[in-house]
């Protein structure tokens, strides 16, 4: 590479008069030429535009003139000449065989590129003998060119029937890898397929998901951008806009593209353009002071020295992209080049005040421009490798061995282009610069790029290598990057952000905004019981049943376990009332026992009264079984004890009510009904009615007993430990039986409410049963609708309310007389209106 750099600077450029193509020259004739045993053709774009100076209906060749010289293309041509001369001066390759060349200027024009190719194929003469036009061999054995993909496609298609290999040093369109369409095409620069994927991985590497794209409106731009868009969208990146530009577009088109850029929210732009198209765009961006954007560039412009000016750096500061890893007699075209470089003229008739005669002693080493700039020889080196690839293909022909490609070798008398084409597929060499050159089955070299960054060093814009992309390595190892050495757009110290929407933090999920790309979304908090523990989660995950989401919705935590305990207010208060009721009932038992021989105790069926008080104390105490953590035994005990004690209680009240009715029926003459419902029958009735409930409970706990369960449905944030009744039918039969006895008791007491007041306690029983029934009727809907531990609290309230109702309604009046009105606790007061016979 050092040798190549030096030779370009100091090559003695000899020239002769009669230049073929100057700014006003003829582009249809060769610009550089040299005879040899083997001729290699070259087609370069020494000028950027072609004009017709004599507009007529029929465009004649002599009316076409080139303008806008492209110094870089001269550098490519000189590199080709240098490589050929280097080969001619060595005995390592093609000893005894000289290589010549013919180099044409296509003026960046497709028609002229194809015309140049046909001139190389048929010879320079305009007149061709029709008798040997189809049998005459091509004077060139291979062609090197062109810089652009579109021009390469045109030339490759044109020379395809002649089997002449075309080796490009800068045409990167992936379409040219199609061997069915372009079987004679080779290149020493990687295909855009790999470049596009390298750019896509570069965008993904920095976390950019919202970008704009700009492409050249030609085959290079369209095909390269198409591959890039496919690759980048696979990485989850969205495109806000995709615009095309071309050097011949009117200014209004460029202004429209600039307006799109200015109005965009994307801070990163990927430009897949030629450097000439990029120059026009940058010019408009500078005029409107559009700066601070992060540019990602393709190899066609990212490493072009002519773009890296101080003015352009205002727009392209911190640009990142992929790049290719880092005279002679008879050359009439040099006359035009020499005159443009030094501002002199070679002919006396063209001498003016501003253009002096050239002396021939001008020095290129004193000139600093695109031609003489050799600090970046990435593409120039590709020209060098193309020449050597063709030379080695020829060398393999001349040094053929019988084992080579399983063919018999004969002494070559004349080399045909198809033979060169056939041997190009076998080329596998290492240049003097240490670079390996070979072609795969598609005519492409190995894909290896440098990742470069535009930085200012020593008051100059430099292309600093910040990484490598090697497509031959396994996926995941192809991309190596040194982020610390990068200078970013806008001179910031961190990776610029380019997002349509900010990342959704853990605890939220992404919801795509209607009518917008998937990269534009809102962050929706996860619902209760759901979490997302990663950034930019698409969905929220449900927590397991025993877990709930924390307040941040980014972690599942165990739910709080809840049950009615003795340690909380809602458990303490019922426990106090339960013990109070049991104590009060025990006190009444003691009072009745102490005053058991008084008339009021005897008159109220003391045996059933004591049994009723005992059952009421059990009713108060059974409510305690509903408090505390449910277990298997406690669940069975709370429901069965509740059912049995209440049946015992109601049975005693029913017995007392029947006794009242029977006593007053016995007042009629000749009625001896009391003998059928004496003390023995009363005890048996209470026992029988209670045993029925006992048997119901036995069947219930035998076949489907109550059991502790975790209620996770009522609350999402906690687990309710409760007793499941097991058999719902068994539970409702128990309640139904209690209700049946209560209704019967209520009806009978209601019928006896108008009996003589002093002795009659039926009205107290009626009122107590009214409260009892009202409480339990209200209990059913409250029980069903109350969630969690409140269900248990409602059940305890019903037990305590009905128990206190029975206790106060039946026994409060009697205790009042016994303790506070003892004068009424006499036989006379108790008898009152009662008939004598009844008493």
């Amino acid at each position: 590479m050092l040798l190549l750099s030096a030779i370009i600077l100091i090559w003695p450029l000899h020239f002769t008069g009669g230049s073929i193509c100057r700014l006003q020259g003829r582009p249809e004739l060769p610009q550089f030429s040299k005879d040899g045993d083997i001729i290699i053709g070259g087609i370069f774009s020494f000028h950027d535009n072609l004009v017709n100076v004599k507009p007529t209906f029929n465009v004649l060749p002599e009316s076409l003139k080139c303008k806008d010289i492209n110094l870089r293309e001269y550098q490519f041509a000189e590199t080709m000449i240098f490589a050929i001369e280097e080969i001619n001066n060595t005995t390592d390759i093609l000893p005894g065989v000289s290589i010549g060349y013919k180099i044409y200027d296509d003026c960046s024009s497709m028609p002229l590129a194809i015309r140049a190719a046909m001139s190389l194929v048929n010879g320079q003469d305009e007149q061709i003998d029709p008798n040997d036009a189809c049998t005459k061999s091509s004077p060139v054995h291979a062609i090197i060119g062109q810089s652009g993909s579109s021009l390469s496609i045109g030339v490759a298609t044109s020379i395809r029937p002649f089997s002449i290999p075309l080796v490009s040093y800068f045409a990167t369109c992936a379409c040219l890898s199609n061997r069915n369409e372009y079987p004679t095409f080779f290149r020493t620069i990687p295909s855009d397929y790999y470049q596009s994927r390298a750019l896509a991985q570069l965008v993904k590497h920095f976390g950019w998901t919202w970008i704009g794209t700009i492409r050249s409106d030609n085959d290079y731009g369209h095909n390269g951008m198409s591959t890039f868009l496919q690759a980048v969208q696979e990485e989850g990146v969205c495109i806000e806009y995709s615009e095309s530009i071309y050097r011949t577009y009117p200014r209004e088109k460029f202004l429209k593209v600039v307006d799109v850029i200015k109005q965009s929210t994307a801070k990163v732009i990927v430009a897949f353009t030629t450097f000439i198209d990029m120059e026009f765009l940058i010019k408009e961006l500078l005029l409107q002071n559009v700066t601070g954007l992060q540019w990602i560039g393709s190899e066609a412009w990212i490493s072009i020295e002519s773009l890296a000016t101080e003015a352009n750096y205002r727009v392209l500061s911190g640009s990142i992209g992929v790049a290719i890893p880092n005279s002679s007699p008879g050359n009439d075209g040099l006359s035009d080049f020499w005159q443009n470089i030094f501002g002199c003229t070679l002919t006396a008739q063209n001498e003016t005040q501003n253009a002096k005669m050239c002396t021939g002693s001008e020095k290129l080493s004193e000139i600093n421009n695109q031609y003489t700039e050799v600090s970046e020889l990435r593409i120039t080196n590709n020209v060098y490798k193309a020449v050597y690839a063709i030379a080695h293909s020829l060398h393999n022909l001349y040094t053929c061995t019988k084992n080579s490609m399983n063919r018999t070798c004969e002494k070559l008398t004349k080399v045909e282009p198809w033979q060169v084409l056939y041997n190009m597929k076998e080329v596998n060499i290492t240049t003097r610069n240490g670079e390996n050159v070979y072609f795969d089955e598609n005519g492409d070299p190995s894909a290896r790029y440098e990742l470069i960054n535009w930085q200012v060093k020593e008051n100059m814009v430099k292309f600093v290598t910040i990484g490598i992309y090697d497509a031959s390595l396994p996926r995941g190892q192809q991309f190596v990057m040194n982020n610390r050495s990068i200078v970013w757009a806008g001179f910031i110290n961190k990776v610029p952000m380019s997002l349509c929407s900010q990342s959704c933090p853990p605890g939220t999920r992404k919801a795509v905004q209607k009518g917008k790309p998937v990269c534009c979304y809102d962050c929706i908090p996860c619902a209760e019981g759901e979490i997302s523990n990663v950034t930019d989660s698409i969905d929220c995950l449900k927590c397991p049943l025993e877990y709930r989401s924390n307040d941040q919705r980014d972690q599942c935590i165990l739910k709080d376990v809840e049950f009615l305990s003795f340690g909380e207010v809602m458990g303490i208060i019922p426990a106090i009332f339960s013990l109070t009721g049991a104590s009060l009932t025990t006190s009444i038992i003691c009072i009745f026992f102490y005053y058991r021989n008084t008339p009021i105790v005897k008159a109220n069926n003391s045996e059933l009264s004591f049994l009723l008080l005992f059952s009421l104390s059990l009713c108060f105490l059974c409510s305690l079984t509903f408090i505390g953590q449910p277990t298997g035994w406690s669940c069975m005990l709370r429901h069965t004890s509740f059912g049995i004690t209440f049946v015992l209680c109601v049975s005693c009240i029913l017995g007392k009510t029947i006794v009242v009715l029977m006593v007053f029926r016995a007042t009629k003459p000749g009625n001896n009904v009391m003998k059928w419902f004496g003390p023995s029958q009363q005890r048996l009735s209470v026992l029988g009615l209670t045993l029925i409930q006992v048997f119901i409970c036995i069947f219930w706990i035998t076949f489907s007993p109550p059991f502790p369960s975790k209620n996770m449905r009522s609350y999402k944030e906690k687990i309710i430990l409760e007793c499941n009744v097991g058999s719902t039918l068994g539970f409702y039969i128990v309640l139904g039986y209690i209700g049946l006895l209560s209704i019967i008791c209520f009806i009978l007491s209601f019928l006896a409410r108008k009996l003589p007041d002093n002795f009659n306690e039926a009205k107290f029983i009626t009122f107590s049963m009214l409260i009892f029934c009202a409480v339990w009727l209200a209990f059913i809907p409250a029980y069903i609708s109350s969630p969690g531990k409140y269900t248990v609290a409602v059940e305890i309230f019903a037990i305590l309310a009905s128990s206190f109702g029975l206790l106060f309604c039946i026994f409060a009046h009697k205790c009042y007389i016994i303790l506070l009105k003892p004068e009424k606790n006499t036989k006379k007061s108790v008898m009152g209106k009662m008939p004598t016979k009844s008493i």
Side-chain angles (χ1 to χ4, degrees), residues 56-108:
T56 60
F57 184 76
N58 293 320
V59 179
L60 300 176
E62 53 269 17
S63 68
L64 298 176
K65 302 300 177 182
C66 302
K67 72 172 187 175
D68 299 334
I69 194 168
N70 188 330
L71 298 177
R72 190 175 66 147
E73 293 286 325
Y74 275 101
Q75 190 182 72
F76 297 158
E78 281 300 322
T79 301
M80 174 180 168
I81 297 170
F82 163 72
I84 290 174
E85 295 298 342
E86 186 179 56
I87 293 170
N88 286 336
N89 293 328
T90 183
T91 57
D92 296 337
I93 306 175
L94 296 173
V97 179
S98 64
I99 303 177
Y101 50 84
K102 286 185 178 181
I103 299 176
Y104 280 78
D105 178 13
D106 62 21
C107 294
S108 303

Side-chain angles (χ1 to χ4, degrees), residues 418-457:
W418 66 266
Q419 295 173 305
V420 181
L421 173 66
Y422 195 79
N423 274 271
M424 287 289 290
K425 303 172 184 177
E426 291 189 326
V427 170
N428 191 339
I429 61 170
T430 301
T431 67
R432 293 185 178 185
N433 301 326
E435 294 185 76
N436 185 245
V437 180
Y438 70 93
F439 303 102
D440 62 16
E441 64 275 8
N442 296 320
D444 295 327
S446 60
R448 191 171 187 273
Y449 297 97
E450 286 184 355
L451 306 175
I452 63 173
N453 178 219
W454 284 32
Q455 300 181 13
V456 173
K457 292 189 175 182

Side-chain angles (χ1 to χ4, degrees), residues 39-43 102-104 115-124 138-140 142-143 164:
I39 301 298
I40 299 177
I43 305 176
K102 286 185 178 181
I103 299 176
Y104 280 78
R115 183 184 181 92
M118 292 298 98
S119 296
L120 289 171
V121 170
N122 298 318
Q124 184 176 337
S138 169
V140 297
I143 298 175
I164 299 176

